[in-house]
Amino acid sequence: MAKSSLPLTAAHWGTYRVETKDGCAVGMTDFERDPDPSPIGHGIIDVQSGPTRITSPMVRESWLEHGPGHRTDRRGAEAFVAVSWEKVERLIADELNRVIAAHGNSAIYAGSYGWASAGRFHHAQSQMKRFLNTIGGFTGSFGTYSFAAAEAMVPHILGDFRGFLNKITSWDSIAESTDLFVAFGGAPVKNGQIESGGVGEHFQPGGMRSARAAGTEFVNISPLRSDMMDELDAEWLAARPNTDTALMIAIAHTLVADGLHDRAFLDRYTVGFERFEAYLSGEVDGIVKDAAWAAEISELSAETIRNLARRMAAGRTMISVAWSLTRQDHGEQPYWAAITLASMLGQIGLPGGGFGFGYSAENSIGGQMTPLEAASLPQGQKQVADFIPVARVSDMLLHPGEPFDFDGQHLTYPDIRLVWWAGGNAFHHHQDLNRMLRAWQKPETIIVNEWCWNPMARHADIVLPCTTPLERNDLMLCPRDPYLIAMEKVSDAPGEARNDFNAFAGIAKRMGTHEAFTEGRDEDDWLRWIYDLTRQRMAENKVELPSLDELRAQQYFKMAPPSEPTVMLRDFRDDPIANPLKTPSGKIEIFSATVDGFGYDDCPGHTVWREPLEWLGKADAKYPLHLISNQPSAKLHSQLDHGPVSKASKLKGREPVMLHPDDAAARGLSGGDVVRVFNDRGACLGAVVVSDAIRPGVIQMSTGAWYDPETPGRAGSLCKHGNPNVLTPDKGTSKLAQGPIAHTCLVDVALFEGKAPPVTAFEPPEIKQQST
């Protein structure tokens, strides 16, 4: 193929050709091979430079003048001082040596979480963790905010979780064979814009359209009608939020009552169904889990539940469970219930049947592609045993030395003195930000690698200015995308910004670990090492990739797809003896003796319905509206919130708040009104959108608005911009997974009286002259 005159760059939301002028990026055009490109990436052009860009190392004024631990309550409110790289390297090296000598490496928390870059080498977390492992290690984290409950639970049921994400039954198979696609939590195409390792071509909308054209019927079980495309003509079942598990359990009861469950499949491929069946019948607790029982919980009629069960048994059915279902109280249960229900239908391993984890949660889910065995930057040997479940950051900082349970283990929170974050924004994804703000005052030093003045950078003590993907060479080698992209540097970084590799290499020199960190390689050497190892791995799998020089010459390469549609667990179904699961029994564990042995009251040995911490079915609920803080459509998490694409999605400069007409009328609200959304944990402002595409009693406010407190640095302050995580509870899903429960949240809404305070989220902090 002929090389285009325009270079390529890749991001989590797509691949783009970059227009340049005088050595600077001035525009983007969508990749010509992408049938459904995302506009999000275009938002970076206007913010590559300007007031939000960090162009030199920065140190919080009190920390610089008085040392670690001084006025930590001023984080987020205090001025920064620009310093040289030489000085910041010395400051960081001295602080690392102090903390390690006095408290040990476990006092360093580097659980840094977030999506920094689609580039395989310039991956901020990998660079940071590699560096810290050269100086003795750090306390880390386990899991993701996306699906932490599933990461801990599903391995007990299926023997693995992440490995199955590359093997979800493809849309091709669904189009060929599926009669009914039942989506608990929907399948929102806005989420399918993104992929953690980068996107060459978007196929989620096309896959859905193909299935619908082939006759597949869709059911959207969600409080939001928009969680499925209108053109799918999906049946919308607007159940109460957080009641999916009860609904699935009642469907299971109907299958048993009507004799529609597949006993032969259950006997051959599963263990423990009899324990679950006893729970269904009420033998365990005296409560029969039938459709009438679930109707009271979900507010769907008993007849609707029974009819859905019978339709699911009447033909080939795919059960999809959204990743968002794990982000609720007892978030382990929806996935266990879905696998149990699919087992009862007996279609697991058949084309178009069984279950899938989060169709359209990312672009890759349901893709028909050859998995790329991509190499990455080695992070080094883990040297510190301490870790926390990823969403327990505030607990760790507030309760050092206290015990906690996790997945059968009895652990202790370490005493953290230094936090290092690279490539993420905890002030976006963590729950109960006012509680986190109090926890954030506990460490003596917080270091952040960042390219713009987002809330994470503003709440640091030391900020290292980073480059963006447009300012460095890299490779998009996404394990779940068919395209390999040679990402080209198109402009120089402004000021003194450095890529993470060079930033850490400079500090490593001070620490005496430069050789261990770099291994004598520069950026291009590492890119060749990563690519050559990837190419070698794929050759072993009989897939030939071009050389790196050839890839750079042709800019991209697309791998051929597999010849047959992907069907998850097909091999297991064909021969469960030859292809056992990695569970103790080798089978699907409807009842897990392992989990049962943990003795957790909030997560017993089979799927159960447990009442959430907060929900609309609670008789004495203090707040009347359930908040859905879902993923945004105009940005990835909080990335590029300051860019023009995200800003265009706001109303009056604030995050939109969707309400049903009945709920708006009851509060005297109209479209465009600035409102205060509040509960006992906090409050934020937003602007009203009135729509009948949301269930009454529910409001929707997407995540991603940069945290913008009315009084910076003070916990409890009103967020002027609309960050819903000032409202969400910071509690673990259960003792088993300890995942986040952002989608278990009750609030109320009222018109904001008086003149609304201006949004200042995108204004940089005060910067003082450089210290020598």
Side-chain angles (χ1 to χ4, degrees):
M1 66 192 77
K3 180 175 179 177
S4 167
S5 59
L6 295 178
L8 282 176
T9 194
H12 302 303
W13 42 80
T15 297
Y16 305 89
R17 293 202 176 275
V18 186
E19 303 166 25
T20 61
K21 182 178 180 180
D22 299 327
C24 295
V26 296
M28 284 180 165
T29 57
D30 298 323
F31 185 37
E32 63 274 12
R33 303 296 295 270
D34 191 346
D36 190 39
S38 170
I40 295 174
H42 296 267
I44 196 171
I45 294 298
D46 291 353
V47 291
Q48 279 284 107
S49 58
T52 58
R53 190 68 195 264
I54 305 171
T55 58
S56 67
M58 298 285 176
V59 184
R60 186 170 63 86
E61 187 173 31
S62 288
W63 195 100
L64 184 64
E65 291 181 358
H66 302 287
H70 189 78
R71 290 305 307 271
T72 58
D73 60 322
R74 294 288 293 158
R75 289 181 180 135
E78 195 171 10
F80 283 84
V81 179
V83 301
S84 67
W85 273 103
E86 181 182 8
K87 179 160 189 171
V88 83
E89 288 167 358
R90 183 173 68 252
L91 290 171
I92 292 174
D94 289 347
E95 177 62 355
L96 288 170
N97 284 326
R98 181 191 73 83
V99 169
I100 293 169
H103 308 287
N105 282 78
S106 65
I108 301 170
Y109 179 65
S112 184
Y113 178 87
W115 290 21
S117 170
R120 199 68 178 172
F121 173 62
H122 291 292
H123 182 251
Q125 291 181 54
S126 296
Q127 297 282 352
M128 176 191 64
K129 292 175 182 179
R130 177 181 173 82
F131 163 73
L132 290 174
N133 275 327
T134 68
I135 62 169
F138 56 91
T139 291
S141 62
F142 172 85
T144 72
Y145 282 79
S146 295
F147 40 57
E151 284 180 281
M153 173 56 80
V154 174
H156 292 294
I157 311 166
L158 299 178
D160 193 9
F161 174 68
R162 280 189 168 271
F164 286 118
L165 293 181
N166 294 339
K167 302 170 183 176
I168 300 293
T169 298
S170 66
W171 284 111
D172 290 353
S173 179
I174 291 167
E176 289 179 5
S177 304
T178 302
D179 298 307
L180 186 65
F181 187 99
V182 182
F184 291 89
V189 292
K190 65 177 176 58
N191 293 9
Q193 294 181 90
I194 62 175
E195 180 63 41
S196 57
V199 179
E201 61 180 15
H202 292 85
F203 60 81
Q204 287 292 334
M208 295 180 189
R209 293 186 189 108
S210 296
R212 185 69 188 98
T216 302
E217 295 182 357
F218 287 81
V219 178
N220 173 27
I221 302 172
S222 168
L224 304 175
R225 188 169 63 205
S226 62
D227 274 346
M228 273 198 176
M229 296 191 302
D230 289 342
E231 59 200 278
L232 298 182
D233 299 319
E235 179 183 0
W236 181 30
L237 301 181
R240 273 176 174 159
N242 287 199
T243 65
D244 303 86
T245 299
L247 180 56
M248 283 186 262
I249 289 171
I251 292 171
H253 182 278
T254 299
L255 295 181
V256 173
D258 289 4
L260 297 175
H261 57 310
D262 190 332
R263 281 284 186 184
F265 183 92
L266 292 168
D267 290 343
R268 188 179 187 200
Y269 298 99
T270 78
V271 295
F273 176 71
E274 67 282 353
R275 298 288 292 269
F276 177 64
E277 190 174 19
Y279 173 73
L280 289 179
S281 68
E283 181 182 328
V284 174
D285 55 10
I287 300 171
V288 178
K289 315 304 184 303
D290 59 8
W293 166 81
E296 291 188 13
I297 295 170
S298 68
E299 287 196 335
L300 297 179
S301 72
E303 191 59 27
T304 295
I305 296 169
R306 284 190 289 264
N307 285 340
L308 180 58
R310 291 160 185 161
R311 288 167 62 197
M312 292 171 73
R316 189 62 54 83
T317 296
M318 172 58 69
I319 300 171
S320 173
V321 278
W323 291 359
S324 61
L325 298 188
T326 72
R327 300 192 296 276
Q328 59 180 272
D329 201 12
H330 311 297
E332 298 85 357
Q333 299 305 320
Y335 272 39
W336 206 346
I339 297 166
T340 299
L341 183 55
S343 298
M344 294 174 67
L345 292 172
Q347 299 175 10
I348 294 171
L350 295 178
F355 59 89
F357 303 132
Y359 284 94
S360 203
E362 286 188 359
N363 181 62
S364 66
I365 304 298
Q368 183 63 24
M369 61 191 71
T370 300
L372 180 67
E373 299 289 335
S376 58
L377 180 70
Q379 295 183 13
Q381 186 67 36
K382 180 177 175 61
Q383 300 180 62
V384 173
D386 287 332
F387 74 94
I388 62 166
V390 68
R392 303 273 56 84
V393 176
S394 293
D395 285 351
M396 172 186 69
L397 297 178
L398 291 168
H399 304 292
E402 293 190 14
F404 68 96
D405 289 303
F406 171 69
D407 200 12
Q409 303 173 71
H410 302 288
L411 304 171
T412 302
Y413 288 121
D415 185 3
I416 299 299
R417 303 305 178 103
L418 184 149
V419 171
W420 201 323
W421 221 274
N425 178 8
F427 285 84
H428 152 67
H429 60 248
H430 196 70
Q431 282 65 64
D432 197 346
L433 289 181
N434 289 306
R435 181 174 187 257
M436 196 187 85
L437 196 62
R438 291 188 287 271
W440 213 241
Q441 298 173 12
K442 298 298 181 179
E444 295 160 348
T445 298
I446 297 174
I447 306 171
V448 170
N449 294 24
E450 192 51 79
W451 69 278
C452 57
W453 283 112
N454 66 11
M456 195 70 193
R458 295 178 73 118
H459 287 82
D461 297 315
I462 300 174
V463 183
L464 302 182
C466 300
T467 56
T468 72
L470 299 180
E471 297 157 358
R472 58 201 185 215
N473 295 307
D474 214 329
L475 294 165
M476 189 193 96
L477 303 175
C478 177
R480 300 189 297 271
D481 192 275
Y483 279 89
L484 284 66
I485 306 293
M487 301 166 61
E488 297 182 57
K489 177 181 176 180
V490 297
S491 60
D492 291 328
E496 299 176 64
R498 290 181 181 177
N499 64 52
D500 295 288
F501 176 72
N502 287 337
F504 285 116
I507 302 167
K509 278 187 178 179
R510 294 270 180 183
M511 302 292 292
T513 60
H514 185 267
E515 179 60 29
F517 176 71
T518 68
E519 295 187 24
R521 299 185 178 102
D522 61 14
E523 175 193 84
D524 193 64
D525 293 331
W526 274 113
L527 287 170
R528 289 187 178 277
W529 184 90
I530 289 169
Y531 188 78
D532 288 346
L533 182 54
T534 301
R535 193 176 181 218
Q536 177 184 327
R537 290 176 179 176
M538 294 307 292
E540 294 171 358
N541 293 331
K542 311 301 182 187
V543 177
E544 184 176 351
L545 301 180
S547 68
L548 180 58
D549 291 335
E550 290 170 334
L551 176 64
R552 285 172 168 170
Q554 62 196 40
Q555 299 184 302
Y556 65 86
F557 176 80
K558 183 179 182 181
M559 294 187 294
S563 57
E564 295 292 329
T566 302
V567 176
M568 189 166 72
L569 292 169
R570 181 190 303 213
D571 291 345
F572 170 67
R573 184 187 185 96
D574 288 345
D575 191 338
I577 304 301
N579 303 296
L581 301 181
K582 298 175 184 177
T583 57
S585 65
K587 298 180 179 182
I588 297 169
E589 303 224 342
I590 291 174
F591 175 84
S592 168
T594 300
V595 173
D596 190 61
F598 296 158
Y600 296 152
D601 57 348
D602 55 5
C603 191
H606 57 73
T607 187
V608 295
W609 158 253
R610 288 283 190 266
E611 186 173 327
L613 175 73
E614 300 174 7
W615 71 300
L616 294 176
K618 195 168 187 176
D620 59 347
K622 183 176 181 179
Y623 294 97
L625 300 174
H626 192 113
L627 172 65
I628 299 295
S629 52
N630 59 353
Q631 294 296 332
S633 60
K635 51 184 172 281
L636 165 59
H637 306 317
S638 67
Q639 286 192 50
L640 298 182
D641 187 40
H642 58 323
V645 176
S646 179
K647 284 185 174 181
S649 72
K650 299 178 187 292
L651 288 176
K652 297 183 178 179
R654 304 175 207 274
E655 201 63 32
V657 180
M658 183 187 294
L659 292 98
H660 188 273
D662 294 349
D663 294 319
R667 292 160 176 78
L669 301 175
S670 301
D673 284 347
V674 175
V675 292
R676 178 174 173 264
V677 187
F678 61 94
N679 60 21
D680 291 341
R681 287 179 289 272
C684 63
L685 299 185
V688 170
V689 173
V690 180
S691 174
D692 63 2
I694 189 169
R695 185 191 193 278
V698 175
I699 72 166
Q700 176 266 323
M701 189 180 197
S702 293
T703 62
W706 283 7
Y707 174 58
D708 189 21
E710 192 169 23
T711 304
R714 191 182 76 188
S717 184
L718 173 75
C719 176
K720 302 175 293 180
H721 192 200
N723 187 320
N725 273 327
V726 300
L727 305 162
T728 54
D730 186 14
K731 169 193 171 295
T733 51
S734 79
K735 295 183 182 72
L736 187 133
Q738 297 283 4
I741 62 166
H743 289 310
T744 296
C745 181
L746 294 184
V747 302
D748 206 348
V749 183
L751 183 70
F752 185 81
E753 303 290 347
K755 185 179 180 181
V759 174
T760 55
F762 308 131
E763 296 178 9
E766 180 186 359
I767 307 297
K768 297 194 173 181
Q769 67 181 5
Q770 179 156 340
S771 172
T772 58

